[in-house]
Amino acid sequence: MANQPISTRIVLASRPSGKPVAANFRLEREAVRDLAEGEVLLQILYLSLDPYMRGRMDDAKSYAKPVEVGGVMEGGTVARVVSSRDAAFAPGDIVLSHSGWQSHAISDAAALRKLDPEAAPITTALGVLGMPGFTAYAGLRNIGKPKAGETLVVAAASGAVGSAVGQIAKIFGARAVGIAGGADKCDYIRNEFGFDAAIDHRSSDFASQLAAACPNGIDIYFENVGGHVWNAVFPLLNDFARVPVCGLIAHYNEGSSTSDGHNQLPTVMRAVLRQSLTIRGFIQREFVDQRPDFYREAAKWISEGRLKYREDIVDGLENAPEAFIGLLEGKNFGKLIVHIAS
């Protein structure tokens, strides 16, 4: 196929030791090959940046294969079809893909989902109507199981997953307490997302503030963070509390042997037994059969004003590494997305 574009891409230059740095990434340019039958050429419009990508930079055993050194950093994307050798897609179609950190990509047509730009802003397919929103929905529906009158606490509550968790819990009648970093984020999740309380985890008296906000204890803790947030939550868990474990961002930059010298496992396991706790890690793709329910219900909740969202959009693929490093430090405010092309 003539006149194939040059793709700009960001690859993993080296595996990080601790916190990622700019030198772990490298910008390259490569000519796009011709399409084979059943393939589609995409121009990437928006790239999603998510905490799970930190794990892909390591070569430790995990639920997914790591990015190879020299390989394109992976990630969800919204793209425009440039050309197609599959009858289901035509030039100009807008699609959800998993094309990674690059300006152009070739995808198997079967891996794409067509989006309707008239139904919702296309960026929402990377956030509230995409993987983060579905993660919140699936974790609550299958593990958290909120009931009217219960207290739910969620960390990273101003982010794409956490903000959806609190709002969906309230739709089911629970009381939502959010934990976030900084007064601005706490004000936002109270006033815009409608949380019943918001606690700044950077406060010197964070643990006592959390206890005061949860006078009847915690029935559901949606875990996104770990670290000192978990330490404050743990003593407040009620009997039969449920803990969907979605992420542990406080620990992503630690090595496998990192330890503070204090083994908390016996204490946690005694509580699991004594209080009949449910602590279950999950990956959203385990519940793929529930996605149609999610798309239908979430779209309805958004139209009713019951599920709101905030996006933090950075311009330029070249700025993705800096934005991603900032994400791991909590610098973003809302779903972090890189705008690559219009």
Side-chain angles (χ1 to χ4, degrees):
M1 189 176 297
N3 300 318
Q4 291 289 81
I6 301 295
S7 180
T8 300
R9 61 186 196 169
I10 293 177
V11 303
L12 180 64
S14 58
R15 300 203 185 279
S17 176
K19 295 181 179 180
V21 296
N24 296 133
F25 305 91
R26 183 173 66 246
L27 190 147
E28 297 181 344
R29 291 180 174 83
E30 180 180 71
V32 177
R33 64 171 174 81
D34 290 344
L35 294 179
E37 193 66 33
E39 292 183 331
V40 177
L41 173 61
L42 305 173
Q43 179 183 27
I44 310 304
L45 306 179
Y46 293 98
L47 164 69
S48 175
L49 295 182
D50 299 283
Y52 78 82
M53 296 171 178
R54 174 61 185 85
R56 300 292 199 277
M57 299 177 75
D58 293 331
D59 59 0
K61 183 178 179 180
S62 184
Y63 61 87
K65 290 178 61 176
V67 175
E68 297 293 334
V69 173
V72 177
M73 285 291 296
E74 75 165 75
T77 53
V78 168
R80 180 187 296 113
V81 174
V82 176
S83 54
S84 173
R85 294 193 64 186
D86 187 280
F89 296 94
D93 285 345
I94 304 298
V95 298
L96 179 68
S97 66
H98 199 80
S99 299
W101 298 26
Q102 53 188 337
S103 65
H104 296 78
I106 290 175
S107 174
D108 288 335
L112 303 176
R113 180 166 71 89
K114 197 175 295 187
L115 301 175
D116 180 2
E118 299 299 320
I122 58 176
T123 52
T124 60
L126 300 175
V128 68
L129 288 175
M131 182 272 290
F134 180 63
T135 298
Y137 177 88
L140 285 177
R141 175 173 168 173
N142 296 282
I143 306 167
K145 300 179 180 178
K147 303 179 184 68
E150 291 190 322
T151 295
L152 170 137
V153 173
V154 59
S158 67
V161 175
S163 61
V165 165
Q167 292 177 86
I168 294 172
K170 285 187 67 66
I171 289 170
F172 289 125
R175 181 170 176 272
V177 177
I179 299 171
D184 289 346
K185 291 181 178 179
C186 287
D187 288 345
Y188 198 90
I189 63 177
R190 266 194 309 265
N191 299 327
E192 298 298 325
F193 293 145
F195 280 59
D196 296 285
I199 313 297
D200 184 354
H201 69 78
R202 298 172 182 169
S203 299
S204 58
D205 60 344
F206 162 61
S208 60
Q209 285 192 40
L210 180 63
C214 303
N216 298 317
I218 297 171
D219 300 295
I220 307 152
Y221 173 52
F222 200 104
E223 176 64 285
N224 290 319
V225 173
H228 77 286
V229 174
W230 164 257
N231 293 338
V233 166
F234 178 59
L236 304 177
L237 293 175
N238 289 331
D239 291 354
F240 307 106
R242 290 85 70 197
V243 183
V245 181
C246 169
L248 295 166
I249 196 170
H251 305 285
Y252 286 169
N253 292 322
E254 297 175 354
S256 58
S257 62
T258 299
S259 172
D260 62 4
H262 177 58
N263 182 8
Q264 297 184 26
L265 182 60
T267 301
V268 172
M269 292 304 290
R270 280 195 296 270
V272 168
L273 175 60
R274 184 179 66 251
Q275 297 177 239
S276 297
L277 304 179
T278 298
I279 302 176
R280 181 188 180 316
F282 76 101
I283 308 300
Q284 51 84 25
R285 66 188 182 199
E286 299 170 32
F287 307 109
V288 63
D289 60 317
Q290 297 173 14
R291 283 182 182 166
D293 293 342
F294 162 70
Y295 293 137
R296 181 182 65 257
E297 293 188 67
K300 178 175 180 288
W301 294 333
I302 290 172
S303 69
E304 294 171 344
R306 305 172 78 190
L307 179 58
K308 300 178 182 179
Y309 63 95
R310 175 174 172 139
E311 296 174 335
D312 188 342
I313 298 182
V314 174
D315 278 315
L317 178 62
E318 68 279 5
N319 294 316
E322 180 182 1
F324 176 66
I325 292 169
L327 168 70
L328 298 177
E329 298 171 351
K331 292 182 178 179
N332 63 300
F333 193 164
K335 175 70 195 95
L336 186 57
I337 297 170
V338 180
H339 174 227
I340 297 176
S342 297

XYZ file of all heavy atoms in Angstrom, residues 38-135:
718
model
N -7.655 -8.482 6.666
C -8.211 -8.506 8.011
C -7.592 -7.508 8.974
O -7.949 -7.482 10.152
N -6.697 -6.662 8.450
C -6.042 -5.669 9.296
C -6.546 -4.263 8.989
O -7.095 -3.997 7.909
C -4.526 -5.712 9.123
C -3.896 -6.977 9.669
C -2.382 -6.960 9.561
O -1.847 -6.296 8.633
O -1.730 -7.621 10.396
N -6.322 -3.365 9.961
C -6.772 -1.981 9.858
C -5.629 -1.061 10.281
O -4.947 -1.326 11.277
C -7.996 -1.737 10.773
C -8.435 -0.289 10.727
C -9.153 -2.657 10.371
N -5.408 0.002 9.524
C -4.415 1.016 9.884
C -5.108 2.117 10.668
O -6.121 2.668 10.227
C -3.761 1.601 8.629
C -2.815 2.797 8.866
C -1.647 2.413 9.765
C -2.314 3.346 7.529
N -4.556 2.432 11.844
C -5.154 3.405 12.746
C -4.248 4.620 12.947
O -3.025 4.478 13.031
C -5.404 2.761 14.111
C -6.245 1.488 14.154
C -6.243 0.908 15.560
C -7.658 1.768 13.676
N -4.878 5.777 13.059
C -4.204 6.960 13.579
C -4.711 7.155 15.001
O -5.911 7.275 15.237
C -4.521 8.208 12.750
C -3.835 9.458 13.296
C -4.187 10.723 12.522
O -5.263 10.801 11.917
N -3.303 11.697 12.537
N -3.789 7.167 15.954
C -4.177 7.252 17.354
C -4.535 8.698 17.688
O -3.769 9.625 17.432
C -3.049 6.761 18.276
C -2.528 5.397 17.799
C -3.537 6.694 19.714
C -3.581 4.327 17.686
N -5.704 8.873 18.291
C -6.167 10.190 18.697
C -5.894 10.447 20.178
O -5.440 11.524 20.564
C -7.662 10.333 18.417
C -8.110 10.040 16.981
C -9.626 10.210 16.869
C -7.391 10.941 15.984
N -6.184 9.457 21.012
C -6.022 9.591 22.463
C -5.423 8.309 23.033
O -5.789 7.208 22.625
C -7.368 9.850 23.143
C -7.987 11.178 22.802
C -8.964 11.264 21.819
C -7.609 12.351 23.463
C -9.545 12.485 21.491
C -8.181 13.570 23.145
C -9.149 13.628 22.163
O -9.725 14.832 21.845
N -4.531 8.489 23.997
C -3.881 7.387 24.705
C -4.226 7.464 26.176
O -4.124 8.533 26.796
C -2.360 7.477 24.529
C -1.484 6.663 25.493
C -1.631 5.169 25.219
C -0.016 7.092 25.369
N -4.624 6.351 26.751
C -4.902 6.266 28.180
C -3.613 5.944 28.938
O -2.849 5.064 28.538
C -5.935 5.164 28.448
O -6.137 4.994 29.832
N -3.370 6.657 30.041
C -2.269 6.329 30.942
C -2.863 5.805 32.238
O -3.732 6.446 32.839
C -1.397 7.560 31.210
C -0.647 8.138 30.009
C 0.209 9.325 30.440
C 0.226 7.072 29.328
N -2.396 4.637 32.670
C -2.973 3.956 33.825
C -1.874 3.362 34.701
O -0.815 2.963 34.196
C -3.912 2.843 33.358
C -5.068 3.377 32.532
O -6.005 3.926 33.120
O -5.014 3.256 31.288
N -2.121 3.249 36.011
C -1.089 2.733 36.918
C -0.576 1.338 36.572
O 0.588 1.022 36.831
C -1.791 2.740 38.278
C -2.808 3.828 38.181
C -3.301 3.751 36.762
N -1.427 0.465 35.998
C -0.987 -0.901 35.712
C 0.225 -0.942 34.795
O 0.971 -1.943 34.776
C -2.133 -1.715 35.100
C -2.385 -1.438 33.630
C -1.630 -2.048 32.643
C -3.384 -0.545 33.224
C -1.848 -1.789 31.293
C -3.610 -0.277 31.891
C -2.836 -0.900 30.929
O -3.047 -0.622 29.595
N 0.440 0.127 34.022
C 1.557 0.146 33.083
C 2.905 0.046 33.779
O 3.882 -0.422 33.182
C 1.501 1.420 32.236
C 0.284 1.502 31.346
S 0.132 3.121 30.553
C -1.332 2.858 29.557
N 2.956 0.475 35.051
C 4.222 0.363 35.786
C 4.630 -1.098 35.912
O 5.819 -1.445 35.761
C 4.073 1.017 37.174
C 5.293 0.836 38.083
C 6.539 1.457 37.485
N 7.717 1.185 38.291
C 8.462 0.084 38.205
N 8.120 -0.883 37.355
N 9.524 -0.066 38.968
N 3.673 -1.967 36.174
C 3.984 -3.384 36.283
C 4.487 -3.981 34.984
O 5.330 -4.890 34.980
N 3.999 -3.470 33.862
C 4.431 -3.988 32.554
C 5.880 -3.623 32.244
O 6.502 -4.210 31.357
C 3.544 -3.424 31.445
C 2.082 -3.747 31.568
C 1.790 -5.225 31.356
N 0.386 -5.395 31.052
C -0.585 -5.456 31.951
N -0.270 -5.386 33.238
N -1.834 -5.599 31.598
N 6.430 -2.645 32.968
C 7.811 -2.237 32.735
C 8.810 -3.188 33.395
O 9.996 -3.168 33.071
C 8.038 -0.811 33.244
C 7.172 0.230 32.553
S 7.379 1.890 33.226
C 8.981 2.353 32.521
N 8.338 -4.014 34.329
C 9.186 -4.997 35.005
C 9.075 -6.340 34.312
O 8.118 -6.601 33.583
C 8.769 -5.140 36.472
C 9.035 -3.880 37.274
O 9.966 -3.134 36.929
O 8.297 -3.644 38.257
N 10.026 -7.218 34.588
C 9.958 -8.563 34.012
C 9.590 -9.605 35.059
O 9.801 -10.805 34.862
C 11.272 -8.943 33.319
C 12.467 -8.896 34.277
O 12.273 -8.579 35.469
O 13.591 -9.177 33.822
N 9.017 -9.152 36.192
C 8.586 -10.079 37.235
C 7.330 -10.818 36.790
O 6.571 -10.350 35.939
C 8.316 -9.310 38.531
N 7.092 -11.973 37.407
C 5.898 -12.763 37.099
C 4.656 -11.946 37.446
O 4.562 -11.349 38.517
C 5.908 -14.063 37.893
C 4.737 -14.976 37.588
C 4.828 -16.268 38.379
C 3.638 -17.174 38.080
N 3.709 -18.440 38.844
N 3.692 -11.921 36.542
C 2.472 -11.150 36.756
C 1.343 -11.795 35.970
O 1.506 -12.849 35.347
C 2.679 -9.695 36.317
O 1.535 -8.910 36.599
N 0.174 -11.126 35.996
C -0.989 -11.651 35.286
C -0.931 -11.353 33.793
O -1.787 -11.810 33.033
C -2.289 -11.086 35.875
C -2.415 -9.579 35.795
C -2.943 -8.963 34.669
C -2.014 -8.774 36.855
C -3.060 -7.587 34.589
C -2.131 -7.399 36.789
C -2.659 -6.812 35.660
O -2.758 -5.447 35.589
N 0.055 -10.568 33.356
C 0.194 -10.231 31.945
C 1.676 -10.176 31.590
O 2.536 -9.940 32.446
C -0.476 -8.892 31.643
N 1.981 -10.397 30.328
C 3.372 -10.370 29.883
C 3.937 -8.956 29.988
O 3.235 -7.985 29.713
C 3.451 -10.849 28.426
C 3.172 -12.315 28.224
C 3.229 -12.679 26.749
C 4.605 -12.393 26.158
N 4.692 -12.824 24.736
N 5.198 -8.829 30.361
C 5.809 -7.499 30.406
C 6.067 -6.962 29.007
O 6.134 -7.711 28.031
C 7.120 -7.742 31.152
C 7.467 -9.165 30.831
C 6.144 -9.896 30.766
N 6.213 -5.652 28.925
C 6.684 -5.034 27.684
C 8.148 -5.411 27.507
O 8.934 -5.327 28.460
C 6.518 -3.502 27.738
C 7.110 -2.847 26.495
C 5.047 -3.127 27.880
N 8.507 -5.836 26.326
C 9.909 -6.155 26.063
C 10.724 -4.871 25.970
O 10.227 -3.837 25.514
C 10.043 -6.940 24.754
C 9.345 -8.293 24.765
C 9.988 -9.278 25.727
O 11.199 -9.125 26.006
O 9.281 -10.176 26.216
N 11.979 -4.937 26.403
C 12.870 -3.790 26.205
C 12.986 -3.538 24.701
O 13.243 -4.453 23.919
C 14.249 -4.048 26.835
C 15.215 -2.923 26.478
C 14.128 -4.172 28.353
N 12.739 -2.308 24.294
C 12.687 -1.967 22.875
C 11.291 -2.047 22.287
O 11.069 -1.636 21.145
N 10.339 -2.573 23.082
C 8.963 -2.683 22.615
C 8.159 -1.436 22.917
O 8.480 -0.666 23.830
N 7.095 -1.238 22.153
C 6.213 -0.087 22.362
C 5.507 -0.231 23.702
O 4.962 -1.291 24.021
C 5.175 0.020 21.227
C 4.202 1.166 21.486
C 5.875 0.220 19.887
N 5.502 0.847 24.484
C 4.739 0.844 25.733
C 3.271 0.600 25.417
O 2.717 1.170 24.484
C 4.919 2.182 26.453
C 6.265 2.353 27.123
S 6.467 1.258 28.563
C 5.182 1.887 29.659
N 2.651 -0.267 26.212
C 1.274 -0.640 25.897
C 0.269 0.302 26.552
O 0.578 1.010 27.512
C 1.003 -2.072 26.315
C 0.833 -2.299 27.785
C 0.210 -3.671 28.040
O 0.923 -4.683 27.910
O -0.985 -3.717 28.370
N -0.941 0.300 26.007
C -1.993 1.130 26.572
C -3.220 1.166 25.692
O -3.153 0.916 24.480
N -4.336 1.484 26.309
C -5.584 1.631 25.584
C -5.604 2.924 24.794
O -5.046 3.946 25.219
N -6.275 2.909 23.653
C -6.284 4.063 22.758
C -7.643 4.218 22.085
O -8.385 3.246 21.902
C -5.216 3.914 21.648
O -5.386 2.643 20.989
C -3.811 3.982 22.207
N -7.935 5.448 21.706
C -9.028 5.743 20.785
C -8.383 6.210 19.490
O -7.465 7.044 19.503
C -9.973 6.823 21.349
C -10.922 7.328 20.273
C -10.763 6.264 22.532
N -8.847 5.655 18.380
C -8.166 5.895 17.107
C -9.163 6.100 15.975
O -10.346 5.743 16.080
C -7.243 4.715 16.782
N -8.659 6.666 14.885
C -9.431 6.823 13.644
C -8.891 5.847 12.606
O -7.673 5.708 12.448
C -9.319 8.250 13.136
C -10.101 8.497 11.827
C -9.830 9.866 11.248
N -10.289 10.931 12.136
C -9.484 11.787 12.765
N -8.176 11.700 12.594
N -9.981 12.725 13.548
N -9.783 5.167 11.915
C -9.375 4.262 10.846
C -8.870 5.079 9.655
O -9.581 5.948 9.147
C -10.534 3.347 10.417
C -10.146 2.507 9.206
C -10.965 2.455 11.582
N -7.641 4.791 9.237
C -7.048 5.450 8.066
C -7.328 4.632 6.812
O -7.735 5.152 5.773
C -5.527 5.638 8.258
C -4.886 6.223 6.997
C -5.246 6.518 9.465
N -7.094 3.337 6.909
C -7.384 2.431 5.797
C -7.695 1.054 6.380
O -7.302 0.737 7.505
C -6.219 2.351 4.811
O -5.013 2.010 5.466
N -8.401 0.250 5.596
C -8.888 -1.014 6.135
C -8.897 -2.097 5.069
O -9.240 -1.845 3.910
C -10.308 -0.833 6.683
O -10.869 -2.068 7.063
N -8.527 -3.289 5.504
C -8.699 -4.478 4.670
C -9.645 -5.461 5.364
O -9.455 -6.658 5.339
C -7.343 -5.120 4.365
C -6.443 -4.240 3.494
C -5.263 -5.006 2.948
N -5.674 -6.080 2.051
C -4.835 -6.983 1.531
N -3.534 -6.924 1.834
N -5.292 -7.937 0.741
N -10.653 -4.876 5.996
C -11.714 -5.662 6.618
C -13.026 -4.940 6.365
O -13.133 -3.733 6.599
C -11.469 -5.816 8.124
C -12.465 -6.759 8.769
O -13.603 -6.320 9.050
O -12.117 -7.936 8.993
N -14.032 -5.668 5.933
C -15.293 -5.045 5.521
C -16.026 -4.374 6.672
O -16.889 -3.520 6.447
C -16.194 -6.107 4.878
N -15.703 -4.725 7.923
C -16.422 -4.167 9.065
C -15.992 -2.747 9.407
O -16.687 -2.062 10.164
C -16.231 -5.065 10.285
N -14.856 -2.296 8.842
C -14.345 -0.964 9.180
C -14.005 -0.185 7.920
O -13.469 -0.744 6.957
C -13.102 -1.083 10.071
C -13.392 -1.709 11.416
C -13.215 -3.072 11.606
C -13.875 -0.944 12.462
C -13.499 -3.663 12.829
C -14.158 -1.528 13.697
C -13.973 -2.884 13.870
N -14.325 1.112 7.981
C -14.074 1.998 6.844
C -13.268 3.207 7.314
O -13.319 3.570 8.500
C -15.397 2.468 6.238
N -12.531 3.845 6.416
C -11.795 5.052 6.789
C -12.719 6.082 7.436
O -13.847 6.302 6.979
C -11.252 5.553 5.447
C -11.089 4.306 4.633
C -12.260 3.448 5.021
N -12.249 6.658 8.535
C -13.035 7.639 9.274
C -13.735 7.075 10.489
O -14.152 7.832 11.379
N -13.889 5.740 10.563
C -14.501 5.140 11.746
C -13.645 5.436 12.977
O -12.409 5.452 12.908
C -14.623 3.618 11.594
C -15.738 3.205 10.651
O -16.592 4.049 10.328
O -15.755 2.025 10.233
N -14.297 5.649 14.108
C -13.606 5.855 15.376
C -13.719 4.563 16.175
O -14.817 4.009 16.317
C -14.218 7.024 16.174
C -14.204 8.308 15.329
C -13.468 7.235 17.485
C -12.822 8.786 14.932
N -12.586 4.084 16.703
C -12.563 2.775 17.346
C -11.791 2.830 18.661
O -10.922 3.681 18.873
C -11.921 1.705 16.436
C -12.727 1.546 15.154
C -10.472 2.043 16.128
N -12.125 1.893 19.529
C -11.347 1.639 20.732
C -10.361 0.525 20.403
O -10.744 -0.504 19.845
C -12.269 1.204 21.876
C -11.600 0.869 23.204
C -11.002 2.110 23.848
C -12.603 0.213 24.155
N -9.097 0.738 20.735
C -8.072 -0.254 20.434
C -7.090 -0.328 21.600
O -7.212 0.395 22.587
C -7.328 0.108 19.141
O -6.579 1.310 19.308
N -6.133 -1.209 21.478
C -5.087 -1.329 22.496
C -3.750 -1.206 21.772
O -2.954 -2.135 21.723
C -5.203 -2.661 23.234
C -4.494 -2.676 24.554
N -5.024 -2.124 25.702
C -3.282 -3.152 24.907
C -4.174 -2.266 26.698
N -3.107 -2.903 26.243
N -3.514 -0.017 21.225
C -2.399 0.179 20.302
C -1.138 0.707 20.957
O -0.078 0.737 20.334
C -2.826 1.127 19.180
O -3.901 0.587 18.456
N -1.223 1.169 22.201
C -0.027 1.606 22.895
C 0.411 3.016 22.564
O -0.314 3.791 21.935
N 1.618 3.330 22.994
C 2.146 4.697 22.950
C 2.728 4.991 21.565
O 3.951 5.039 21.379
C 3.223 4.874 24.012
C 2.780 4.694 25.430
C 1.734 3.954 25.897
C 3.406 5.247 26.595
N 1.667 4.010 27.265
C 2.679 4.792 27.726
C 4.513 6.078 26.791
C 3.035 5.142 29.027
C 4.873 6.424 28.090
C 4.124 5.966 29.194
N 1.878 5.230 20.592
C 2.358 5.533 19.247
C 1.303 6.306 18.470
O 0.137 6.345 18.836
C 2.747 4.257 18.515
C 1.696 3.170 18.480
C 2.223 1.865 17.916
O 3.207 1.840 17.170
N 1.579 0.758 18.258
N 1.769 6.929 17.402
C 0.866 7.788 16.630
C 0.055 7.017 15.606
O -1.038 7.450 15.224
C 1.673 8.885 15.916
O 2.556 8.322 14.948
N 0.571 5.901 15.114
C -0.123 5.050 14.150
C 0.109 3.589 14.531
O 1.149 3.258 15.121
C 0.382 5.275 12.723
C 0.110 6.654 12.200
N 0.872 7.749 12.559
C -0.844 7.115 11.357
C 0.394 8.833 11.955
N -0.643 8.474 11.215
N -0.838 2.749 14.185
C -0.707 1.335 14.515
C -1.516 0.500 13.543
O -2.498 0.972 12.953
C -1.182 1.070 15.943
N -1.095 -0.747 13.394
C -1.865 -1.732 12.638
C -2.494 -2.683 13.631
O -1.838 -3.176 14.546
C -0.967 -2.480 11.638
C -0.542 -1.533 10.506
C -1.696 -3.696 11.066
C 0.439 -2.144 9.534
N -3.793 -2.940 13.459
C -4.524 -3.812 14.375
C -5.319 -4.832 13.600
O -5.813 -4.565 12.501
C -5.476 -2.970 15.241
O -6.300 -3.801 16.043
N -5.464 -6.017 14.193
C -6.439 -6.968 13.671
C -7.828 -6.361 13.866
O -8.144 -5.834 14.938
C -6.355 -8.299 14.422
C -5.103 -9.084 14.079
O -4.553 -8.873 12.980
O -4.673 -9.907 14.917
N -8.652 -6.454 12.869
C -10.000 -5.886 12.952
C -10.788 -6.488 14.113
O -11.579 -5.798 14.770
C -10.736 -6.100 11.638
N -10.546 -7.751 14.408
C -11.299 -8.429 15.464
C -11.021 -7.849 16.842
O -11.802 -8.051 17.779
C -10.977 -9.918 15.458
N -9.910 -7.115 16.990
C -9.540 -6.559 18.288
C -10.115 -5.160 18.512
O -9.871 -4.564 19.569
C -8.014 -6.505 18.403
N -10.874 -4.644 17.567
C -11.372 -3.276 17.642
C -12.850 -3.239 18.032
O -13.601 -4.154 17.716
C -11.197 -2.576 16.290
C -9.778 -2.531 15.731
C -9.785 -1.897 14.344
C -8.838 -1.771 16.666
N -13.231 -2.160 18.707
C -14.647 -1.911 18.990
C -15.010 -0.535 18.453
O -14.393 0.457 18.818
C -14.948 -1.976 20.490
C -16.421 -1.727 20.819
C -16.753 -2.123 22.243
N -16.193 -1.237 23.243
C -16.799 -0.140 23.721
N -17.984 0.223 23.238
N -16.239 0.583 24.653
N -16.002 -0.491 17.573
C -16.414 0.765 16.971
C -17.117 1.643 17.997
O -17.921 1.164 18.800
C -17.333 0.493 15.768
C -17.503 1.668 14.820
C -18.326 1.286 13.591
C -17.621 0.258 12.743
N -18.359 0.019 11.456
N -16.795 2.939 17.990
C -17.398 3.902 18.905
C -18.337 4.839 18.147
O -18.110 5.121 16.963
C -16.318 4.731 19.610
C -15.284 3.960 20.444
C -14.219 4.907 20.981
C -15.960 3.203 21.583
N -19.340 5.321 18.841
C -20.282 6.285 18.268
C -20.002 7.649 18.887
O -20.375 7.890 20.045
C -21.713 5.864 18.555
C -22.738 6.838 17.992
O -22.331 7.829 17.337
O -23.944 6.616 18.218
N -19.337 8.561 18.154
C -19.013 9.879 18.715
C -20.238 10.698 19.088
O -20.134 11.657 19.865
C -18.216 10.560 17.583
C -17.714 9.447 16.737
C -18.780 8.396 16.802
N -21.409 10.341 18.563
C -22.638 11.060 18.896
C -23.210 10.605 20.242
O -23.976 11.335 20.868
C -23.690 10.841 17.795
C -23.265 11.333 16.420
C -22.990 12.826 16.406
O -23.751 13.568 17.060
O -22.013 13.239 15.759
N -22.853 9.405 20.675
C -23.415 8.861 21.901
C -22.741 9.410 23.152
O -23.384 9.621 24.186
C -23.314 7.339 21.889
N -21.420 9.636 23.064
C -20.654 10.143 24.206
C -19.319 10.643 23.695
O -18.833 10.181 22.645
C -20.438 9.044 25.243
N -18.678 11.593 24.392
C -17.330 12.020 23.987
C -16.415 10.795 23.881
O -16.452 9.910 24.749
C -16.899 12.939 25.132
C -18.181 13.464 25.700
C -19.160 12.331 25.585
N -15.628 10.737 22.818
C -14.849 9.519 22.561
C -13.815 9.249 23.653
O -13.420 8.100 23.852
C -14.198 9.555 21.172
C -13.278 10.778 21.013
C -15.267 9.523 20.084
C -12.542 10.802 19.668
N -13.382 10.273 24.380
C -12.422 10.048 25.456
C -13.016 9.209 26.584
O -12.273 8.555 27.323
C -11.917 11.382 26.029
O -13.057 12.200 26.367
C -11.035 12.114 25.036
N -14.330 9.206 26.729
C -14.936 8.434 27.819
C -14.729 6.930 27.636
O -14.829 6.177 28.602
C -16.444 8.723 27.952
O -17.113 8.380 26.730
C -16.682 10.189 28.290
N -14.413 6.501 26.411
C -14.141 5.085 26.175
C -12.847 4.646 26.850
O -12.582 3.435 26.966
C -14.070 4.799 24.679
N -12.026 5.603 27.280
C -10.795 5.301 28.004
C -10.952 5.508 29.505
O -10.024 5.219 30.267
C -9.644 6.184 27.498
C -9.301 6.044 26.015
C -8.232 7.060 25.622
C -8.849 4.622 25.694
N -12.118 6.019 29.921
C -12.309 6.361 31.319
C -13.593 5.817 31.879
O -13.758 4.616 32.080
N -14.556 6.708 32.082
C -15.783 6.328 32.787
C -16.584 5.266 32.037
O -17.267 4.443 32.654
C -16.631 7.591 33.072
C -17.183 8.185 31.781
C -17.751 7.287 34.061
N -16.517 5.250 30.701
C -17.201 4.227 29.907
C -16.227 3.203 29.341
O -16.550 2.483 28.393
C -17.990 4.880 28.770
C -19.251 5.641 29.197
C -19.883 6.353 28.012
C -20.262 4.704 29.858
N -15.044 3.131 29.936
C -14.023 2.212 29.467
C -13.513 1.323 30.582
O -14.232 1.015 31.546
N -12.261 0.894 30.453
C -11.676 -0.029 31.416
C -11.741 0.466 32.864
O -12.136 -0.304 33.760
C -10.229 -0.342 31.009
C -9.520 -1.322 31.914
S -8.693 -0.533 33.328
C -7.351 0.311 32.507
N -11.406 1.746 33.162
C -11.482 2.180 34.563
C -12.900 2.125 35.132
O -13.110 1.661 36.255
C -10.955 3.619 34.509
C -10.061 3.645 33.306
C -10.758 2.761 32.313
N -13.876 2.599 34.353
C -15.254 2.554 34.815
C -15.729 1.128 35.019
O -16.413 0.819 36.009
N -15.368 0.249 34.093
C -15.772 -1.147 34.224
C -15.078 -1.819 35.404
O -15.654 -2.682 36.077
C -15.492 -1.919 32.938
C -15.893 -3.367 33.012
C -17.220 -3.722 33.205
C -14.945 -4.367 32.913
C -17.601 -5.049 33.289
C -15.318 -5.705 32.993
C -16.644 -6.045 33.187
N -13.833 -1.420 35.682
C -13.131 -1.955 36.850
C -13.898 -1.632 38.128
O -14.077 -2.493 39.004
C -11.710 -1.376 36.925
O -10.971 -1.778 35.758
C -10.977 -1.848 38.160
